[in-house]
Amino acid sequence: NDFKSTNNSRTETNLSYILYPAKSWQHKNHIAILEGLYILKEQNKIINIVFTGDFNNENGLFLVKKIKELDLENQIVIKGIVDQNELFDLYLNALGIVVPTLYEAGSYPLYEAIYLEKAVICSNVTSLPETIGDEKFVFSPKDYIDIAKKITGIDISRNMLNKAKEKACYDILIEKGETLKEYLLFFVPLYFQNHYLNLFDLIYPIFILFFLF
């Protein structure tokens, strides 16, 4: 079956696929997925991929050319920029998500996959391994052989999903809490600001525990 011809203009796909929703910037490392797919194809293992995001840039055009060079055109659909409803459907229908980024402070595709309880694998950079919570589901972003292996075995247990979901939620709440604390500080009288900061640091962790559990 030709995955591309049957699914290029559709949200719901007829064949199984793995999703990577990311702009085609070089550090997003789409090339690692292509190299992984090529390794698998040489082993007669065909995996389909859906990319979303803008590919109308230098690296995006390079990736399109690379897809042709590796003869992967029938396995890959580049959806381009999609709206939130279509992206949500793509998440729900995907076998799993792969995040091979070279560097990232945090990965929304990783968080979103965890929230939606989708299988997900990611690169071992910055905070991503801590977020996913198990080394079995991470890889070096330049180790194409390991990426190929992880793609074929993309799966996460219910316990691991719950653990990762809790960790991702905690990370976001901490980040939002710092922003909220700084915002509210503008409305606190100068003489009370030290007390306010101490009170916030005392109360907010209790809020997080209540929210998570």
Side-chain angles (χ1 to χ4, degrees):
N1 290 331
D2 186 333
F3 178 69
K4 182 174 182 178
S5 65
T6 57
N7 296 293
N8 194 36
S9 62
R10 301 178 57 178
T11 297
E12 295 184 2
T13 58
N14 296 319
L15 299 175
S16 59
Y17 64 91
I18 293 172
L19 175 67
Y20 184 31
K23 292 182 180 180
S24 58
W25 293 327
Q26 190 170 3
H27 76 275
K28 295 295 186 180
N29 201 28
H30 292 74
I31 190 67
I33 297 177
L34 302 186
E35 295 290 355
L37 291 187
Y38 180 74
I39 291 171
L40 293 173
K41 186 172 184 176
E42 291 292 290
Q43 301 171 0
N44 294 317
K45 298 175 182 178
I46 303 301
I47 303 292
N48 302 311
I49 296 285
V50 170
F51 292 138
T52 66
D54 184 12
F55 272 65
N56 293 316
N57 54 56
E58 183 178 354
N59 194 59
L61 297 176
F62 164 76
L63 291 170
V64 171
K65 181 180 179 182
K66 192 69 175 179
I67 289 169
K68 294 178 181 178
E69 288 179 358
L70 297 177
D71 193 25
L72 298 172
E73 293 178 279
N74 292 335
Q75 297 171 236
I76 297 174
V77 170
I78 300 175
K79 289 282 189 178
I81 299 173
V82 298
D83 61 34
Q84 290 297 315
N85 290 332
E86 183 170 5
L87 182 60
F88 182 71
D89 287 339
L90 287 169
Y91 268 106
L92 290 184
N93 291 317
L95 284 177
I97 316 300
V98 57
V99 183
T101 184
L102 293 174
Y103 58 86
E104 211 84 51
S107 171
Y108 278 106
L110 178 57
Y111 292 145
E112 289 162 352
I114 291 169
Y115 286 143
L116 294 173
E117 299 188 350
K118 303 300 296 187
V120 58
I121 55 176
C122 67
S123 55
N124 61 352
V125 298
T126 62
S127 64
L128 272 60
E130 186 179 357
T131 299
I132 202 169
D134 195 308
E135 292 185 358
K136 293 195 296 291
F137 307 115
V138 301
F139 50 79
S140 169
K142 294 189 177 182
D143 186 344
Y144 303 146
I145 293 176
D146 191 36
I147 291 171
K149 180 180 178 181
K150 292 296 195 313
I151 286 176
T152 57
I154 192 167
D155 191 18
I156 281 187
S157 69
R158 179 67 58 178
N159 289 337
M160 188 55 60
L161 277 167
N162 289 338
K163 180 180 178 182
K165 183 176 180 180
E166 180 181 309
K167 180 63 174 61
C169 186
Y170 177 81
D171 288 345
I172 289 177
L173 286 172
I174 289 295
E175 179 182 345
K176 296 298 183 184
E178 288 301 313
T179 302
L180 177 62
K181 180 167 68 173
E182 293 175 6
Y183 173 75
L184 292 177
L185 187 61
F186 285 106
F187 302 96
V188 177
L190 184 61
Y191 68 87
F192 190 69
Q193 285 187 356
N194 286 335
H195 295 291
Y196 156 75
L197 292 172
N198 291 333
L199 187 62
F200 188 96
D201 289 340
L202 176 65
I203 294 176
Y204 193 71
I206 297 174
F207 164 77
I208 292 178
L209 291 174
F210 177 80
F211 183 86
L212 291 176
F213 302 105

